[in-house]
Amino acid sequence: MKEEKPPEENLTRLMEFVLLDFVEVPHLQWFLFTLFLAIYIIILLGNSTIFLITKVDPTLQTPMYIFLGNFSFLEICYVSATLPRMLTNLWSQRRTISFVACATQMCCVLVLGATECFLLAVMAYDRYVAICKPLHYPLVMNHKFCVQLVAGSWVSGIPVQIGQTYQIFSLPFCNSNRINHFFCDIPPILKLACGDTRVNQMMVYIVAVLFVTVPFLLILVSYGKIVSTILKLPSATSRAKAFSTCSSHLIVVVLFFGSATITYLRPKSNHSAGTDKLLSLFYTILTPMFNPLIYSLRNKDVIMALRKLLCK
């Protein structure tokens, strides 16, 4: 008589997951679809506009706007890794996602998230050199170095995040195939794994410290020196101008790093599906939506470039 396979082995072979997203509020499905579609359109239009004007306007060909253009393009990629799938699920009510598609989505979100952390740190360093060492700025932030910083931000996280994704999806999944989230993120996926996941949890913390905490500390150091330099400026007008160039970036930093840090570095016992979804909405959707508003409304150069583009 053939021996029956244990349920754990059968479930490990499952070829798809189910993304529950906002299934707990069935009466709000169409409202959520309309809301997130509107947000997606705003993100695409806003960030595409900033990306375009930083490419075509001759007055915006400086390091600060090169980084801003890349950041806007990154936000488009970042939100496109999660929102189209969520919109499809809300529209069709068919929430299945294949094993490979889930792993690919997680890897893309992690790689692009790491890129955002590094790029925000690079933008803080750019402001530090501009304000604290203005005479050396053209020499330090030359075009070649800017390209290297941007390229490094984009590629640094790729090998580590591919490895982390492979490690997580190599686990046996025997609890369920229902992901209580709107995309394939690490905390809800690890909840489905059976056996000892302590090594995986430890790797999540190590990678989060490497890609979230270290860039955040570099940003804090940069802004600590920036604030110290600004406070020494003799003119109140100069101080106000210097603070205004940094405040937009600081708002984005607080929004993104605050929600990402709480998501990945808080104790496992404190994880709840509702909190995870709310925090994920901040760093995957709301930050990309606010980015164009924050940078355009508080930046005279961007407003002028936008007016010139609209006049043309």
Side-chain angles (χ1 to χ4, degrees):
M1 187 177 171
K2 193 176 178 182
E3 201 175 35
E4 206 174 305
K5 290 181 180 177
E8 290 175 2
E9 193 171 329
N10 289 337
L11 280 167
T12 303
R13 294 175 182 273
L14 280 172
M15 296 307 291
E16 63 182 22
F17 292 100
V18 178
L19 283 166
L20 298 181
D21 52 65
F22 303 100
V23 74
E24 66 272 14
V25 282
H27 55 290
L28 293 177
Q29 298 299 294
W30 286 108
F31 169 75
L32 290 171
F33 174 81
T34 308
L35 175 66
F36 288 123
L37 179 61
I39 288 172
Y40 190 41
I41 291 168
I42 291 167
I43 290 168
L44 292 181
L45 288 175
N47 285 288
S48 298
T49 302
I50 288 187
F51 176 73
L52 181 63
I53 61 176
T54 58
K55 292 297 176 188
V56 300
D57 194 293
T59 61
L60 300 184
Q61 302 309 304
T62 60
M64 177 181 171
Y65 295 108
I66 290 171
F67 298 139
L68 181 57
N70 269 273
F71 189 68
S72 295
F73 177 68
L74 169 67
E75 296 289 50
I76 293 169
C77 298
Y78 194 40
V79 80
S80 295
T82 56
L83 252 183
R85 166 69 68 171
M86 183 168 69
L87 289 170
T88 304
N89 291 348
L90 288 168
W91 174 268
S92 66
Q93 299 297 303
R94 186 179 179 274
R95 293 179 163 83
T96 56
I97 181 170
S98 72
F99 191 88
V100 173
C102 191
T104 304
Q105 186 185 54
M106 179 189 282
C107 190
C108 288
V109 169
L110 292 176
V111 168
L112 293 169
T115 302
E116 183 150 347
C117 291
F118 289 136
L119 207 47
L120 285 169
V122 165
M123 291 167 80
Y125 177 71
D126 172 67
R127 293 298 83 209
Y128 158 72
V129 178
I131 293 169
C132 300
K133 300 182 178 180
L135 298 177
H136 296 101
Y137 185 76
L139 186 65
V140 174
M141 300 305 292
N142 59 70
H143 183 73
K144 184 182 176 183
F145 186 54
C146 288
V147 171
Q148 288 172 343
L149 287 173
V150 169
S153 299
W154 278 94
V155 304
S156 296
I158 293 174
V160 175
Q161 300 296 12
I162 288 175
Q164 178 160 251
T165 304
Y166 175 79
Q167 185 190 41
I168 288 170
F169 280 88
S170 297
L171 290 167
F173 295 100
C174 59
N175 292 329
S176 171
N177 70 332
R178 296 159 71 85
I179 302 168
N180 195 2
H181 212 297
F182 60 88
F183 73 98
C184 295
D185 200 10
I186 294 175
I189 292 286
L190 282 180
K191 283 180 182 177
L192 306 184
C194 57
D196 191 359
T197 60
R198 281 180 297 180
V199 173
N200 302 90
Q201 291 285 349
M202 185 59 67
M203 283 304 299
V204 171
Y205 284 117
I206 292 169
V207 172
V209 166
L210 189 63
F211 291 118
V212 178
T213 310
V214 171
F216 184 62
L217 289 175
L218 291 173
I219 291 169
L220 285 182
V221 170
S222 296
Y223 275 103
K225 294 190 175 185
I226 287 168
V227 170
S228 175
T229 302
I230 289 173
L231 292 175
K232 291 174 186 173
L233 293 173
S235 163
T237 309
S238 301
R239 288 197 294 271
K241 188 179 177 182
F243 272 121
S244 70
T245 61
C246 302
S247 56
S248 303
H249 183 248
L250 272 175
I251 293 167
V252 175
V253 166
V254 170
L255 279 172
F256 180 78
F257 278 99
S259 52
T261 302
I262 296 168
T263 300
Y264 292 106
L265 290 176
R266 75 185 195 276
K268 188 182 177 183
S269 57
N270 292 345
H271 279 261
S272 71
T275 309
D276 283 346
K277 286 180 194 177
L278 186 62
L279 290 167
S280 298
L281 282 172
F282 264 96
Y283 68 84
T284 59
I285 295 172
L286 294 183
T287 303
M289 184 178 72
F290 290 139
N291 172 44
L293 296 172
I294 291 166
Y295 280 109
S296 61
L297 292 176
R298 299 181 63 85
N299 192 304
K300 290 177 183 177
D301 293 336
V302 172
I303 292 170
M304 289 298 293
L306 188 56
R307 281 177 183 165
K308 280 193 280 183
L309 185 69
L310 292 172
C311 289
K312 285 179 185 178

